[in-house]
Amino acid sequence: MLPLLFLACTGQTPETVAVDGPPPPNLVLVVVDTLRADRLGLYGYERPTSPNIDRVAANGMVFDRAYCQGLACAPSRTSFMHSRYHGARGRMNLGQHFKANDFYSARVGKIYHYNVPASIGTDGFDDPPSWQKTVNPKGRDKTDEALIFNAEPHRKISAALSWLAADGKDEEQTDGMIATEAIKLMEQKKNDPFFIAAGFFRPHTPYVAPKKYFDLYPLKDIRLPYAPKDDRQDIPIAAFAHNCPVPHYG
């Protein structure tokens, strides 16, 4: 699975801050779960799905040759937190590094691996020494789980084509709560150097969002992407381990 990463910062990195120089920067790491880069405007997607991320990108640096380090969530997340392709055991990660350099280090939501949606509201597979504070919101997407439609009832909703056009506001969803809590921490610590990691659970399945977002894309306007008839012939069997073996889910 491919998380999207961007690091928003001001000023200099801890290694380059002189004793009599400017104050250390405040850094925010935002992680989005299972979002493909080609579904963002900054990478050429034609629909206006990511105005805020696009605005950050327009004022920063965009990497167009960045690749997922692992085929599954846990190794990929471990890799970018440790800046290593593999072999992260025993190495200091980002949270520990900034904490050791007198930054306030905090996590809100999903940074290391979680079972989604089962572990929403818990620490998941976290690394406690990384943070001085952790916040694990749990919103309506979790409490309204029984309302989610599953097109593949033989699978759990975490690995199925499943969705819910939810009632309520953005702020009632787990991701909305994560944004709110991350902003609170930034406001509370604005006068201190901080490293705050905010991890969002969507768009990982099940696809749960307030109904207004579903309404932006009427079903009559949705088309399956083009795929040649023999498109699957050269795909290794192992690639279907976490996928549907039937083209277009039948």
Side-chain angles (χ1 to χ4, degrees):
M1 296 184 179
L2 175 64
L4 167 79
L5 306 176
F6 64 86
L7 192 62
C9 62
T10 58
Q12 299 168 303
T13 62
E15 292 81 3
T16 62
V17 174
V19 174
D20 57 350
N26 291 327
L27 301 104
V28 180
L29 172 68
V30 177
V31 184
V32 183
D33 196 2
T34 327
L35 175 61
R36 287 170 43 162
D38 62 359
R39 291 301 182 268
L40 295 171
L42 68 103
Y43 287 111
Y45 193 48
E46 68 278 7
R47 289 178 173 169
T49 54
S50 54
N52 294 320
I53 293 176
D54 296 344
R55 190 156 51 245
V56 171
N59 291 282
M61 180 181 292
V62 176
F63 295 90
D64 57 7
R65 293 293 298 275
Y67 300 96
C68 179
Q69 299 300 303
L71 296 176
C73 302
S76 205
R77 289 172 176 272
T78 299
S79 179
F80 65 71
M81 285 299 290
H82 288 82
S83 302
R84 292 291 184 276
Y85 182 70
H86 59 76
R89 179 177 293 179
R91 302 195 70 93
M92 181 178 289
N93 63 37
L94 282 175
Q96 293 171 6
H97 169 77
F98 287 109
K99 186 178 173 183
N101 283 275
D102 299 322
F103 280 64
Y104 177 77
S105 181
R107 171 187 64 78
V108 185
K110 179 178 179 177
I111 297 299
Y112 285 96
H113 182 60
Y114 278 67
N115 293 316
V116 178
S119 296
I120 289 177
T122 75
D123 281 333
F125 296 97
D126 195 25
D127 180 67
S130 298
W131 326 105
Q132 275 127 322
K133 184 178 180 64
T134 58
V135 185
N136 299 309
K138 180 169 71 173
R140 289 190 62 164
D141 46 311
K142 180 63 178 172
T143 56
D144 291 349
E145 205 169 287
L147 303 177
I148 294 172
F149 174 76
N150 187 355
E152 302 177 272
H154 58 287
R155 293 174 181 260
K156 294 181 179 180
I157 56 175
S158 59
L161 184 61
S162 54
W163 66 88
L164 174 65
D167 293 328
K169 301 177 180 179
D170 294 45
E171 294 80 7
E172 297 176 78
Q173 297 291 320
T174 299
D175 279 356
M177 297 168 74
I178 289 169
T180 298
E181 293 299 322
I183 291 169
K184 284 182 182 178
L185 283 176
M186 286 187 278
E187 291 173 340
Q188 291 169 7
K189 296 296 179 179
K190 63 184 178 182
N191 295 321
D192 302 313
F194 63 66
F195 172 69
I196 295 175
F200 296 91
F201 286 89
R202 306 299 174 217
H204 191 291
T205 54
Y207 304 122
V208 180
K211 184 176 180 296
K212 64 180 180 180
Y213 295 110
F214 285 80
D215 292 342
L216 293 173
Y217 306 99
L219 201 56
K220 64 181 179 60
D221 297 336
I222 302 299
R223 298 288 181 272
L224 287 173
Y226 169 74
K229 289 184 178 180
D230 60 351
D231 188 45
R232 300 162 67 91
Q233 299 307 308
D234 60 347
I235 298 177
I237 293 176
F240 294 114
H242 287 81
N243 221 316
C244 181
V246 182
H248 301 312
Y249 290 84

